[in-house]
Amino acid sequence: MTALIDERALSKLRWRCRRGLLENDLFVERFFARSEGRITERQAEGMLALMDLADNDLLDLLLCRKEPEGELVRDDVIEVLHLMRTPTDAQEERQDDEGPNRARPVETRPASTPPSH
């Protein structure tokens, strides 16, 4: 197993991972929140490789619009990308219960008759 990065390295990594697109920031913050400071050197290297991408290219990878190509086809990058793409347990439960295509009940009322004069 690869060693964990220390607090200083974690702080530097967080700073390096700041993005210009809110959508990317949400994926990055979820990754850090889940890891709770337990990020390996290998994961840090994979994350840094992803952070070298332009914001739109990174978002395409995070949203599964594209898969890693060229220099990004590395175990560390693929591991981090998988972790970043995986929804949290709460999101999975919500999707199971209230998926985007699930019909929701709608309250209906009988049509009211117009008042007679």
Side-chain angles (χ1 to χ4, degrees):
M1 181 176 177
T2 308
L4 297 178
I5 61 174
D6 62 21
E7 280 298 315
R8 181 180 162 125
L10 178 61
S11 178
K12 289 171 103 174
L13 181 63
R14 280 181 163 279
W15 181 258
R16 175 64 181 89
C17 290
R18 294 179 42 180
R19 304 303 298 183
L21 281 177
L22 172 64
E23 292 85 348
N24 287 340
D25 279 335
L26 295 174
F27 280 96
V28 169
E29 283 306 311
R30 182 173 68 194
F31 171 79
F32 282 118
R34 272 200 201 145
S35 67
E36 298 175 353
R38 298 181 316 253
I39 297 175
T40 65
E41 291 173 355
R42 173 183 158 135
Q43 290 169 335
E45 288 177 22
M47 188 67 127
L48 288 172
L50 288 171
M51 294 305 115
D52 285 338
L53 295 171
D55 282 334
N56 289 329
D57 293 335
L58 177 59
L59 186 60
D60 285 342
L61 286 174
L62 293 171
L63 295 176
C64 301
R65 293 179 187 155
K66 293 183 179 177
E67 291 300 320
E69 298 175 346
E71 294 177 8
L72 291 178
V73 181
R74 304 180 346 208
D75 289 340
D76 57 345
V77 171
I78 292 169
E79 176 186 351
V80 170
L81 191 55
H82 173 73
L83 293 170
M84 292 177 76
R85 286 174 170 173
T86 305
T88 61
D89 293 339
Q91 287 172 326
E92 288 173 345
E93 288 174 15
R94 188 171 53 244
Q95 268 187 337
D96 290 344
D97 293 341
E98 302 173 14
N101 298 320
R102 181 170 178 206
R104 291 176 177 78
V106 177
E107 184 178 325
T108 59
R109 297 183 187 142
S112 59
T113 54
S116 56
H117 295 293

